[in-house]
């Protein structure tokens, strides 16, 4: 395994860890499932997995994670600011 392949593997594992963390934290009600933290964890996790999947030419996974990114971005941009 080359240095670059090792980095891409680490990126993939990190992305998987972020997605699992988001799911576990929302499932145990440590963060709200629709909250900003959940969306950001999913967004960065999906981005990392997209990079890894694209490198390995796992196109179904890359496309799924690209859609996951789009959903996360849409959820984050549609949020209305809280008024105190």
């Amino acid at each position: 395994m080359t240095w670059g392949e090792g980095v891409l593997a680490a990126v993939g594992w990190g992305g998987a860890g972020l997605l699992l963390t988001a799911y576990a934290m929302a499932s145990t009600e440590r963060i709200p499932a629709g909250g900003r933290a959940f969306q950001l964890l999913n967004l960065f996790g999906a981005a990392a997995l997209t990079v890894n999947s694209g490198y390995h030419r796992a196109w179904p996974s890359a496309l799924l994670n690209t859609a996951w990114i789009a959903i996360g971005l849409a959820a984050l941009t549609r949020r209305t600011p809280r008024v105190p």
Side-chain angles (χ1 to χ4, degrees):
M1 176 182 298
T2 67
W3 181 85
E5 290 171 329
V7 169
L8 286 168
V11 166
W13 282 110
L18 289 173
L19 290 179
L20 286 171
T21 298
Y23 182 67
M25 291 183 77
S27 295
T28 57
E29 299 179 355
R30 293 183 180 179
I31 60 173
R36 185 173 179 82
F38 179 79
Q39 296 301 333
L40 288 170
L41 286 166
N42 274 300
L43 182 68
F44 288 114
L49 284 175
T50 300
V51 170
N52 183 275
S53 298
Y55 174 77
H56 290 289
R57 297 184 177 156
W59 302 123
S61 180
L63 182 62
L64 171 67
N65 282 294
T66 301
W68 202 304
I69 291 166
I71 293 166
L73 286 173
L76 286 169
T77 57
R78 280 191 276 143
R79 296 190 164 283
T80 56
R82 291 185 180 171
V83 178

